[in-house]
Amino acid sequence: MNTHPTPVDPPQLHQNPAFTQGMIVPAGRTLYVGGQNGADGSGTLLDGLGPQTEQALRNLLAVLAEAGTDAEHVAKLTIYLDPSVDPADGYAATASVWGNRRTAVTVVAVAPARPGALVEIDAVAAIP
């Protein structure tokens, strides 16, 4: 049985190498990862959008691993960016940690609840 989410990209919609329009997730256990921001293990918020984005993704990967899954099983990311930042800069910062994995993604400009946070990322993943 396949445990990986399957991309859904209708041909009449814009095709993007960075994300997919939808994901089909096989029936089974599902992990909902709460919002992760750019704070390290001591709770210290890193400085700048790039370092915060990378740390938020490392935090997300740690939650996935603890639950027995990984980035290959993520069906959906929601990325909350402070309105003061350029989304292109946020996207560029994901490459070193997230790579070129395609998943359904929603990006929203909203002030994160934690003062100084520039990004927060949550996820939905299948557990194989």
Side-chain angles (χ1 to χ4, degrees):
M1 178 174 131
N2 179 15
T3 63
H4 290 80
T6 304
V8 176
D9 289 302
Q12 69 271 28
L13 297 181
H14 172 72
Q15 304 298 301
N16 188 301
F19 65 85
T20 181
Q21 300 296 336
M23 296 289 276
I24 297 171
V25 180
R29 296 178 354 158
T30 305
L31 172 66
Y32 297 86
V33 180
Q36 301 296 309
N37 58 33
D40 64 17
S42 69
T44 302
L45 194 61
L46 278 61
D47 188 35
L49 179 62
Q52 284 191 24
T53 301
E54 291 169 357
Q55 185 63 46
L57 288 169
R58 284 192 294 271
N59 295 345
L60 176 69
L61 292 172
V63 175
L64 294 170
E66 186 68 21
T69 190
D70 58 28
E72 299 300 325
H73 291 89
V74 171
K76 174 81 164 59
L77 293 173
T78 304
I79 302 172
Y80 305 91
L81 290 174
D82 186 279
S84 69
V85 301
D86 182 348
D89 294 338
Y91 173 70
T94 65
S96 67
V97 178
W98 195 253
N100 60 358
R101 293 180 184 93
R102 293 179 72 230
T103 189
V105 176
T106 299
V107 179
V108 181
V110 60
R114 181 173 178 176
L118 300 173
V119 62
E120 188 167 323
I121 304 171
D122 67 35
V124 178
I127 300 175

